[in-house]
Amino acid sequence: MTDDAGDQRDHTHKLRPIASEQTRIVASGVTWSLKAAAKRKFHAPSEAAYRYAVLNQRTTWLEEEDIGSTFEKYKGKRRSSLDLSLDGIMDLTTDSPFLKEVDDKEFDVILKDIPSLSGNLEMKELDELLDEQRSYEELQDKVFNTPPNTPVRRFLFRVVDSYSRYFPKHSYIPRIEIAIIGTGERRNASMDPTDKMKKCKRADITGNDTRGNQVFLAECSMLYEKDIRKKREDRRKLARSMKDSWDSAAKKLAESHLPHDDLSVFGLQFFDEKLTFLKLDYRAHYRLWQVDTSNLPTQTSNFHERAAICCKTALMFARAVAEEVRQRKELPALSPRDVLSLTRVTDKLTRTTDS
């Protein structure tokens, strides 16, 4: 078997034989025992979660607390049509109604599992370019007169250059929408080849991994948008699309590789003046995290302060997305027998509801 560059692979990943689902399931060398799990403080992974375990996804949280059962009870209650629990997505953002129903102990467990954008990302060069409070015009002059010969300089140049075209003359960000591949695949999965295919939902910005799977999606409202229902509708659309993209990536990766154990899709929601950075992963349920926020510069009076925060947050977020792309690129290859086992499982992933 060869990798994307055509080099011979000699590290084919071997899955252990999978026994009856009533006794154990094996994924990535880890044996899940129903009998042993029943003795632990949390519940054993559900039958559906076992399918994700075969895909090398973790079925428990870091702490031995059964948040999953609380979420299942929450799903059973009558909810708004915009509630993400209807699609099996555990909303763990600041706007989440689910978080209002967890107790203090469960909330502490959630805090321990929350992803972080912090790390050893070197910000020295960015700090030097934004070394002191400046007006927009002064910052523009400095950036435009600094050779864009490093990634950080090119990044800041493009940011300021974008503003020089639309700010402050325009009060909105131009909309350009791109088809969401995962949503299109889900909506047309049961269609006959002779039927007219349903249209994909569309995102304002997308980013792909090296295998062509969408790893990043963005949903943007008009600048200064104040309709809260619009915000909730956009969040639901983005979260569902992120789940579709997660499912699509898992299926395509499983055709030749074993997904890494923290397979994730990233998202960005722009509403009013706020950028909300999101991550979707899987731990017995799909989990939507809010990993950071920042406010977009909209006035010359606060441009420098907001631009500095936005740029740093965006660079850390981009690094997290790049790390996901790197991990997907370096996945271990599977034997044809194991590919057959994984593709059988991916056909049974929990589908997003049609809407």
Side-chain angles (χ1 to χ4, degrees):
M1 186 174 294
T2 60
D3 62 10
D4 293 337
D7 298 328
Q8 187 67 32
R9 301 294 287 263
D10 58 2
H11 55 281
T12 301
H13 184 89
K14 298 293 185 180
L15 289 179
R16 296 184 185 179
I18 298 177
S20 168
E21 290 191 346
Q22 278 72 39
T23 57
R24 75 174 189 273
I25 190 93
V26 181
S28 190
V30 179
T31 301
W32 298 91
S33 169
L34 282 175
K35 185 175 181 180
K39 296 179 181 180
R40 300 177 69 87
K41 294 179 182 179
F42 55 83
H43 293 180
S46 66
E47 180 179 348
Y50 280 132
R51 300 176 190 139
Y52 293 86
V54 174
L55 289 170
N56 198 28
Q57 302 307 296
R58 286 172 257 178
T59 58
T60 59
W61 291 57
L62 293 177
E63 296 289 324
E64 299 177 1
E65 190 68 27
D66 187 23
I67 299 176
S69 63
T70 302
F71 182 61
E72 290 298 329
K73 293 176 183 177
Y74 174 83
K75 286 170 57 179
K77 299 178 181 180
R78 185 177 181 83
R79 296 294 165 197
S80 161
S81 61
L82 298 179
D83 199 296
L84 294 178
S85 66
L86 299 176
D87 287 293
I89 301 173
M90 187 183 294
D91 186 355
L92 300 172
T93 68
T94 54
D95 298 321
S96 168
F98 168 66
L99 285 184
K100 297 177 181 178
E101 300 197 12
V102 301
D103 59 32
D104 291 343
K105 187 176 181 180
E106 291 171 330
F107 188 71
D108 287 341
V109 172
I110 291 171
L111 291 180
K112 292 179 181 179
D113 237 25
I114 188 170
S116 173
L117 295 183
S118 61
N120 297 320
L121 183 62
E122 181 58 60
M123 290 290 185
K124 182 178 179 180
E125 188 174 17
L126 184 64
D127 291 337
E128 289 175 350
L129 290 168
L130 302 171
D131 56 352
E132 59 185 58
Q133 189 74 28
R134 299 173 185 272
S135 67
Y136 169 74
E137 291 77 9
E138 290 173 337
L139 179 61
Q140 182 185 53
D141 288 341
K142 179 173 183 178
V143 171
F144 283 180
N145 288 299
T146 301
N149 53 5
T150 69
V152 171
R153 289 181 179 183
R154 286 192 290 271
F155 167 77
L156 192 57
F157 179 92
R158 289 166 184 161
V159 170
V160 176
D161 183 54
S162 296
Y163 272 95
S164 71
R165 300 177 185 180
Y166 301 110
F167 179 78
K169 295 181 180 179
H170 298 278
S171 60
Y172 63 91
I173 297 176
R175 297 179 64 89
I176 303 174
E177 296 194 324
I178 306 169
I180 302 170
I181 297 173
T183 301
E185 292 174 348
R186 185 252 303 168
R187 299 184 75 186
N188 293 296
S190 59
M191 301 287 286
D192 187 276
T194 59
D195 294 336
K196 182 178 180 180
M197 295 292 102
K198 297 180 181 178
K199 293 183 178 180
C200 301
K201 288 188 178 297
R202 308 184 80 81
D204 296 302
I205 307 170
T206 65
N208 294 357
D209 63 20
T210 57
R211 305 179 193 278
N213 301 305
Q214 289 175 335
V215 69
F216 167 77
L217 307 172
E219 187 66 27
C220 303
S221 296
M222 299 293 285
L223 193 59
Y224 310 121
E225 174 67 67
K226 300 296 183 183
D227 187 346
I228 297 301
R229 182 171 179 85
K230 168 64 174 172
K231 178 182 179 181
R232 293 172 179 168
E233 289 173 343
D234 283 356
R235 178 65 58 83
R236 178 175 181 266
K237 174 188 172 182
L238 180 57
R240 285 162 46 87
S241 298
M242 291 168 68
K243 177 187 176 298
D244 284 337
S245 296
W246 193 101
D247 292 346
S248 174
K251 291 177 181 179
K252 291 179 180 177
L253 290 173
E255 293 175 359
S256 56
H257 297 77
L258 182 69
H260 68 88
D261 65 2
D262 188 29
L263 186 66
S264 302
V265 172
F266 295 84
L268 173 67
Q269 182 178 9
F270 172 66
F271 181 83
D272 192 8
E273 299 177 26
K274 178 176 284 188
L275 297 170
T276 302
F277 300 88
L278 304 165
K279 174 183 177 181
L280 183 135
D281 61 14
Y282 184 89
R283 296 289 185 280
H285 295 88
Y286 294 94
R287 308 187 304 181
L288 182 69
W289 298 99
Q290 177 178 308
V291 294
D292 214 332
T293 62
S294 61
N295 291 317
L296 200 69
T298 56
Q299 303 176 40
T300 54
S301 60
N302 63 11
F303 185 85
H304 184 279
E305 179 183 357
R306 285 193 175 187
I309 296 173
C310 274
C311 287
K312 290 180 180 180
T313 304
L315 284 173
M316 289 191 293
F317 186 72
R319 184 189 188 190
V321 177
E323 176 62 17
E324 173 69 21
V325 172
R326 183 195 66 78
Q327 290 189 70
R328 293 188 186 187
K329 184 178 181 180
E330 298 177 359
L331 294 175
L334 294 173
S335 68
R337 177 179 179 179
D338 293 333
V339 167
L340 190 61
S341 297
L342 262 68
T343 52
R344 177 180 174 84
V345 168
T346 58
D347 288 337
K348 300 179 180 179
L349 297 182
T350 306
R351 280 173 51 86
T352 311
T353 58
D354 291 325
S355 65

